[in-house]
Amino acid sequence: MPSLKKIAVLTSGGDAPGMNAAVRAVTRGALARGWEVFAVRNGYAGLLANELDPLAARDVGGIIQAGGTVLGSARCPEFAEPAGRTKALANLRGRGIEALVVIGGNGSQSGSASLAREGFAVLGVPSTIDNDLYGNDVSIGCDTAINITLEAIDRLRTTASSHQRAFAVETMGRNCGYIALMAGIAGGAEVIALPEHELQPADVAARLRAARERGKTHALAVIAEGAKCGVHELMDYYGAHRPSIGFDLRVTRLGHVVRGGAPTAADRVLATRLGAAAIAMLAEGRHGVLVGMVKGDIISTPLTEIAGRMRPADASLLELARTMAL
Ligand code: F6P
């Protein structure tokens, strides 16, 4: 690719803490090379609506600590259609933009792969609390979401213990159990239910009962949003079997709370490194890839390899969690 002059950056899909730090890194990394940078507002939807405006270094000042995304985000089914992408490409080319950096999760990077297939220079930066992207160990936002979930678990344990209760805490993650697994281990949960390793409500109840029989004053079940044994199934089971279980059960669904608020230091640093690496790759004429962190190294994986694939949580860690719940 001849040397670049104009690039655009967008954030897409569910917002994630650290997206702003990535926008800042991409923008300042590009400006430092003398390139022009355009912000696309509201993800792919804004690209279709031609909502682009120039970004200067000061425009991305004071955002590294802010949650959400200052660029706005959206889910945009229209972009999955060829006509939508044709419109998006016309809008980019109409302004002389030569490359696009897409900061987002699984669906967003499938969108990037489609643009790459159509010959446009795209760089993907993985950002989703779900941490479900293939070609990347840790995505921007998931550390913060784990820590928010953990804080809730720690708080619920104190009230659970005071009342000799069990709590089922549901956390986000779509079809990936990564947040639940990490927060469950860090929070010392008695049970962790993941989409990657299904449990029946009777299994969860049996483990809670066993915890009581071992003398525990509380029991915590961390339930991933995508697990088949969800909080409703568990409540129904409890309704029918309460007397034989011992603990009373309460349910807390954390929902979008885990996606909001300021990013952790780890997410800010990761976002800064990946955003800057995306620009460095573009400068070398590399594109059509996701810039990811694997085993501590920054690597690139072709977007076409990533599209439609998922990185599951490592369910082998469940055994460790179970041993530690003794
Ligand atoms: O992908 C991020 C995520 O927060 C998932 O964990 C969750 O399933 C989904 O987005 C919620 O989507 P929405 O914000 O559109 O309700």
Side-chain angles (χ1 to χ4, degrees), residues 28-321:
R28 291 190 175 169
L31 292 173
R33 289 172 195 273
W35 302 351
E36 264 182 84
V37 184
F38 281 77
V40 181
R41 305 290 166 185
N42 307 317
Y44 290 121
L47 193 51
L48 296 188
N50 213 357
E51 291 171 357
L52 283 83
D53 49 274
L55 275 179
R58 294 285 72 74
D59 295 331
V60 292
I63 66 168
I64 194 169
Q65 80 290 358
T69 162
V70 293
L71 298 188
S73 191
R75 307 213 187 263
C76 180
E78 208 188 330
F79 190 75
E81 304 300 325
R85 289 196 297 278
T86 304
K87 205 191 246 179
L89 288 172
N91 289 342
L92 288 166
R93 290 184 176 130
R95 291 176 192 253
I97 292 168
E98 298 142 295
L100 175 69
V101 178
V102 174
I103 303 166
N106 235 327
S108 310
Q109 303 306 348
S110 292
S112 312
S114 306
L115 282 183
R117 269 191 217 98
E118 294 185 32
F120 199 79
V122 195
L123 253 288
V125 175
S127 180
T128 165
I129 62 163
D130 302 341
N131 200 29
D132 57 353
L133 274 158
Y134 183 81
N136 176 57
D137 286 348
V138 189
S139 55
I140 299 162
C142 78
D143 183 69
T144 306
I146 291 164
N147 279 290
I148 302 291
T149 303
L150 181 60
E151 188 187 341
I153 292 171
D154 288 347
R155 286 173 183 270
L156 290 169
R157 182 192 288 101
T158 61
T159 175
S161 218
S162 305
H163 290 265
Q164 309 232 339
R165 280 176 179 158
F167 268 84
V169 189
E170 186 202 84
T171 190
M172 273 192 167
R174 204 183 286 277
N175 299 316
C176 179
Y178 188 81
I179 301 174
L181 180 61
M182 292 300 134
I185 292 173
E190 275 63 35
V191 189
I192 303 172
L194 310 176
E196 291 86 351
H197 181 88
E198 288 300 346
L199 294 173
Q200 298 301 318
D203 302 325
V204 177
R207 293 208 206 161
L208 299 180
R209 184 191 307 118
R212 187 169 180 99
E213 286 165 4
R214 292 197 301 277
K216 293 204 175 190
T217 53
H218 64 261
L220 292 166
V222 180
I223 313 279
E225 174 189 23
K228 281 208 191 73
C229 170
V231 288
H232 291 301
E233 289 76 9
L234 205 52
M235 282 303 269
D236 288 348
Y237 186 88
Y238 253 75
H241 300 86
R242 161 77 185 86
S244 66
I245 293 168
F247 284 121
D248 213 359
L249 178 75
R250 294 287 188 277
V251 162
T252 301
R253 301 183 77 184
L254 299 177
H256 290 77
V257 168
V258 303
R259 216 167 83 182
T264 58
D267 273 330
R268 297 182 203 191
V269 173
L270 179 67
T272 302
R273 291 186 67 191
L274 293 181
I279 295 302
M281 282 188 199
L282 272 177
E284 287 168 11
R286 292 161 63 196
H287 52 83
V289 295
L290 182 88
V291 184
M293 185 73 77
V294 173
K295 295 187 169 60
D297 290 328
I298 295 179
I299 62 145
S300 62
T301 308
L303 286 164
T304 45
E305 261 182 50
I306 282 158
R309 289 172 88 167
M310 199 190 126
R311 176 187 182 281
D314 179 3
S316 70
L317 288 173
L318 286 172
E319 200 44 48
L320 172 67

